[in-house]
Amino acid sequence: MTDTPFLTVDVARLDTNIGATAARARATDLQLRPHAKTHKCAQIAQLQLDAGAVGLTVATIGEAEAFADAALTGRRDLFIAYPLWVTEHKGARLRALADRIRLRVAIDSVDGARRLAAETADVDLEVVVEVDSGQHRTGVDPDQAGVIARTAVESGLRVVGLFTFPGHGYGPGDARRRAADNEVAAISRAADRLRDNGIDPVVRSGGSTPTIEFAGTEALTEIRPGVYPFNDAQQVELGSCDLDAVALCAVGTVVHRTGRRIVADTGSKILGADRPPWTSGFGRLLDAPDARITSLSEHHAVIDYPRDDDAIPELGARVRVVPNHVCTAVNLVDHLYAEAADGTSVRWPVIARGANS
Amino acid sequence: MTDTPFLTVDVARLDTNIGATAARARATDLQLRPHAKTHKCAQIAQLQLDAGAVGLTVATIGEAEAFADAALTGRRDLFIAYPLWVTEHKGARLRALADRIRLRVAIDSVDGARRLAAETADVDLEVVVEVDSGQHRTGVDPDQAGVIARTAVESGLRVVGLFTFPGHGYGPGDARRRAADNEVAAISRAADRLRDNGIDPVVRSGGSTPTIEFAGTEALTEIRPGVYPFNDAQQVELGSCDLDAVALCAVGTVVHRTGRRIVADTGSKILGADRPPWTSGFGRLLDAPDARITSLSEHHAVIDYPRDDDAIPELGARVRVVPNHVCTAVNLVDHLYAEAADGTSVRWPVIARGANS
């Protein structure tokens, strides 16, 4: 028996989640380009491609290299959805990638576009402009997208469209719906600015797991959700899914019990420490929806149960803990333990773990 | 030039920090057993041992295995400061370790003590009882320590004392001093309970980076700080150190700038996502004490500067970002880039990265 803590994947639920989002994309005529930063795992990427994904999204050149190296069948088409500052060395890495696979990259500034162009002359890259739809992270105001796109084209880049990440959809109340509305408005406006500059925004990419339910099917051509194969405690608390749609959890052991409080060995070094203010704790228990992780340190998850009852696990018992944010949990381990419905388990390597640059 | 983001260590500052804490321990006649979960790095462990540490503290069997395998000179003495639930497999791992090095383990329950005893019969282990000094995580009420210690002895274990972690010293105001006072009270009381049961508490171990300044030198025999070789943004904000004593930072690149806001590529996958409510943000900038990381996602640190001035870095500039909690940052990378005063840099492997079990 594997020593705790470790991350386990329920493959039946994973299949269901991948199938459901693929079906949603087909039904709404949106191309699906899943964000592979969530799983960093070739086996899961293959399931997504087999279900009809047009390619993968990644966050870094390192992730792109890992998936380019993986023995995947299907379209070898990667989008690095990040406004890279392309140094000479990063330029060389992009050129090497573009020789092997179809590659799309991002810009969100005039200077960034010129830098990219300087390092990738004579390389066939698709370029998209990142638009800020309200998260106020990277991306430009929609009205600036035309100038940046035109500069890029004048620098020799092949601009094919736009993308945005409506990350402010991660919030309470109707944040998901409002962010999806913002996404439509921002992409539509930026698309007009590209057209004003004679550039056809063929690619209009958006979406995130919490917002794709409301994704604007007229404004967008593509969605890039990441979390949906697994789901996580954040998605449960946002209302994007139910607990029984969560396909990944950390298996831990109860090492301490005092009254209605237990401590499991699933600390922040396996769950990740993400804890937005709108969440109810540092994660959830798959088998105890009312329990809450009230504090978290590196190797201790302090879990409070609301009532005295028989369901409070005893010392030495195993518990299944759902991370708040699955992307950061997966990045902490070298393998996922993929459990089939018949109880057998295989190890899936996290091939892009730590591929931050 | 290494692609960003990566973690760099200022070796001169590291040496200073290691020397200062070693000197403090000597001056107060406390044994120093640094917690190696912070750095997970043989080179830094060696510096600590060379400076007089009596051994190392670790959090997991996996970390103990990594340091037992490392080619360290000095006393090979490891303390797993965690109330392990010792399964048959973990028992076998402990036995294998005890064959190779001097090993100390922890208990905090009668059942846990019996489990440990059942799996480690005829193995020479030091056993200490974990006491709760106010953090309310693991550890027992001081008055229960005697019963647990006696059960352990009756089960055949060799109980040598007590330990506590005053983790509630991580807080605003005078939390550090109060937690150190609680530590003295808890350890003193638990020591009396061991003596009541005929057990000499030879080892009375406490301490943490923010509390060692106030550590009770009568009550304690040993301190186990972890963060002090590096320091981090939390320690700066707690008042444990100044920014110029921070020896580790993430080097990132500015990928976006809008007004007084920049975005660097040092996201939570390199900094960690720890963000206690009493901190002023998700980390600090080594070269801009007034700037704050106001939001953090996996590959984006959004940094706000309070004033328009020349010091706001331009697109493409490199910035040095101090993680809130250095232990979780180090655990995200395979190597630290150790920079000597002459500007040369070597890679130090993070040998126990991900060793959670």
Side-chain angles (χ1 to χ4, degrees):
Chain A
M1 210 172 188
T2 309
D3 288 337
T4 64
F6 58 91
L7 297 185
T8 183
V9 177
D10 179 326
V11 175
R13 287 187 181 187
L14 179 80
D15 283 336
T16 300
N17 293 341
I18 288 173
T21 293
R24 179 196 299 275
R26 273 194 303 275
T28 53
D29 208 22
L30 290 167
Q31 294 202 308
L32 176 61
R33 185 185 288 271
H35 210 314
K37 73 177 167 66
T38 300
H39 53 71
K40 294 176 176 264
C41 179
Q43 285 81 356
I44 298 174
Q46 189 64 65
L47 291 172
Q48 293 174 318
L49 292 168
D50 291 347
V54 297
L56 299 172
T57 306
V58 294
T60 67
I61 299 176
E63 287 182 352
E65 289 165 339
F67 284 102
D69 288 345
L72 298 175
T73 60
R75 208 162 93 152
R76 295 171 63 76
D77 183 335
L78 300 177
F79 170 31
I80 306 174
Y82 192 84
L84 298 171
W85 183 262
V86 182
T87 59
E88 186 179 338
H89 190 247
K90 287 197 173 176
R93 294 170 69 195
L94 288 178
R95 291 195 300 275
L97 275 170
D99 277 349
R100 303 166 59 200
I101 55 161
R102 183 165 167 165
L103 189 63
R104 185 192 294 171
V105 296
I107 54 175
D108 81 342
S109 67
V110 163
D111 288 350
R114 289 185 176 135
R115 195 87 276 290
L116 174 66
E119 296 295 340
T120 61
D122 305 320
V123 175
D124 187 35
L125 290 175
E126 292 186 345
V127 176
V128 289
V129 179
E130 183 174 8
V131 175
D132 178 11
S133 53
Q135 185 182 21
H136 307 320
R137 194 174 68 174
T138 47
V140 294
D141 183 278
D143 284 330
Q144 295 182 330
V147 175
I148 292 168
R150 195 182 63 228
T151 306
V153 168
E154 289 168 359
S155 304
L157 296 171
R158 182 161 68 88
V159 176
V160 300
L162 301 159
F163 82 107
T164 192
F165 178 67
H168 56 309
Y170 280 79
D174 65 345
R176 295 161 62 210
R177 183 185 297 271
R178 280 187 292 111
D181 290 347
N182 296 157
E183 176 179 64
V184 165
I187 285 287
S188 300
R189 189 161 180 150
D192 285 342
R193 295 296 85 76
L194 260 61
R195 292 187 192 101
D196 293 346
N197 284 275
I199 299 164
D200 185 9
V202 178
V203 173
R204 301 185 302 278
S205 178
S208 68
T209 296
T211 60
I212 53 170
E213 182 179 342
F214 311 105
T217 55
E218 297 296 314
L220 301 179
T221 60
E222 177 183 282
I223 49 175
R224 307 183 320 279
V227 171
Y228 75 94
F230 299 135
N231 291 312
D232 57 21
Q234 288 188 163
Q235 299 300 330
V236 172
E237 301 209 343
L238 289 169
S240 306
C241 72
D242 296 325
L243 255 186
D244 62 10
V246 173
L248 180 145
C249 59
V251 178
T253 298
V254 178
V255 297
H256 181 90
R257 182 174 169 182
T258 300
R260 288 191 276 105
R261 166 167 289 190
I262 64 170
V263 178
D265 58 2
T266 51
S268 64
K269 279 181 173 168
I270 188 97
L271 290 182
D274 294 66
R275 207 288 200 204
W278 47 267
T279 53
S280 68
F282 290 90
R284 296 285 289 265
L285 269 75
L286 204 55
D287 306 299
D290 295 340
R292 288 295 180 276
I293 302 179
T294 51
S295 78
L296 189 70
S297 32
E298 288 157 70
H299 300 279
H300 303 73
V302 178
I303 302 164
D304 284 308
Y305 285 74
R307 289 175 303 280
D308 289 309
D309 63 27
D310 296 332
I312 301 177
E314 298 292 335
L315 260 179
R318 290 197 163 193
V319 289
R320 300 192 294 173
V321 182
V322 180
N324 265 352
H325 184 189
V326 71
C327 307
T328 57
V330 169
N331 188 49
L332 291 164
V333 299
D334 291 318
H335 295 94
L336 303 173
Y337 290 83
E339 290 189 4
D342 64 4
T344 57
S345 174
V346 293
R347 297 204 308 181
W348 286 350
V350 181
I351 57 172
R353 186 201 51 72
N356 288 317
S357 66
Chain B
M1 208 171 186
T2 308
D3 287 338
T4 64
F6 58 90
L7 297 185
T8 183
V9 177
D10 180 327
V11 175
R13 287 187 181 187
L14 180 80
D15 282 336
T16 301
N17 293 340
I18 288 174
T21 293
R24 179 197 297 278
R26 273 194 304 274
T28 52
D29 207 23
L30 290 167
Q31 296 202 307
L32 176 60
R33 186 185 287 272
H35 209 314
K37 72 178 169 65
T38 299
H39 53 71
K40 294 176 177 268
C41 179
Q43 286 81 356
I44 298 174
Q46 189 65 65
L47 292 172
Q48 293 174 318
L49 292 168
D50 291 347
V54 297
L56 299 172
T57 306
V58 295
T60 67
I61 300 176
E63 287 182 351
E65 289 165 340
F67 284 101
D69 288 344
L72 298 176
T73 59
R75 205 162 96 154
R76 294 172 63 76
D77 182 336
L78 299 177
F79 170 30
I80 306 173
Y82 193 85
L84 298 171
W85 182 259
V86 183
T87 58
E88 186 179 338
H89 190 246
K90 287 197 172 174
R93 293 170 70 194
L94 288 178
R95 291 194 302 275
L97 275 170
D99 278 347
R100 302 167 59 199
I101 55 161
R102 183 165 168 167
L103 189 61
R104 185 191 294 172
V105 296
I107 54 174
D108 83 341
S109 67
V110 164
D111 288 350
R114 290 187 176 134
R115 195 87 275 292
L116 174 65
E119 295 295 340
T120 61
D122 305 319
V123 176
D124 187 34
L125 289 175
E126 292 186 345
V127 176
V128 288
V129 179
E130 183 175 8
V131 175
D132 178 10
S133 53
Q135 185 182 22
H136 307 320
R137 193 174 69 174
T138 48
V140 294
D141 183 278
D143 284 330
Q144 295 181 331
V147 175
I148 291 168
R150 194 182 64 226
T151 306
V153 169
E154 289 168 357
S155 303
L157 296 172
R158 183 160 68 90
V159 175
V160 299
L162 301 158
F163 82 109
T164 192
F165 178 67
H168 56 308
Y170 279 80
D174 65 345
R176 294 161 62 210
R177 182 184 298 271
R178 280 187 292 110
D181 290 346
N182 297 157
E183 176 179 63
V184 165
I187 286 288
S188 301
R189 187 162 183 151
D192 286 342
R193 294 297 86 75
L194 260 60
R195 293 185 192 103
D196 294 344
N197 284 275
I199 299 164
D200 185 10
V202 178
V203 173
R204 300 184 303 279
S205 177
S208 68
T209 297
T211 60
I212 53 170
E213 183 178 342
F214 312 105
T217 56
E218 297 294 314
L220 302 179
T221 61
E222 176 183 284
I223 49 174
R224 305 184 319 279
V227 171
Y228 76 94
F230 298 135
N231 290 313
D232 57 21
Q234 288 187 162
Q235 300 300 329
V236 172
E237 302 211 341
L238 288 169
S240 307
C241 72
D242 295 326
L243 255 185
D244 62 11
V246 173
L248 180 144
C249 58
V251 178
T253 300
V254 177
V255 297
H256 181 90
R257 181 173 169 184
T258 301
R260 290 192 273 105
R261 166 166 290 190
I262 65 170
V263 179
D265 57 3
T266 51
S268 64
K269 280 179 173 169
I270 188 96
L271 291 182
D274 294 67
R275 209 286 200 204
W278 47 267
T279 53
S280 68
F282 290 91
R284 295 285 288 266
L285 268 74
L286 203 55
D287 306 299
D290 294 340
R292 289 295 180 277
I293 302 179
T294 50
S295 77
L296 189 70
S297 33
E298 288 156 71
H299 300 280
H300 304 72
V302 178
I303 302 164
D304 285 307
Y305 284 74
R307 290 175 302 280
D308 289 310
D309 62 29
D310 296 332
I312 301 177
E314 297 293 335
L315 259 179
R318 289 197 164 195
V319 289
R320 300 194 293 173
V321 182
V322 180
N324 265 351
H325 184 189
V326 71
C327 308
T328 56
V330 169
N331 189 48
L332 292 164
V333 299
D334 291 317
H335 296 93
L336 303 174
Y337 290 82
E339 290 189 4
D342 65 3
T344 58
S345 173
V346 293
R347 297 204 310 180
W348 286 350
V350 181
I351 58 172
R353 187 202 51 71
N356 288 316
S357 66

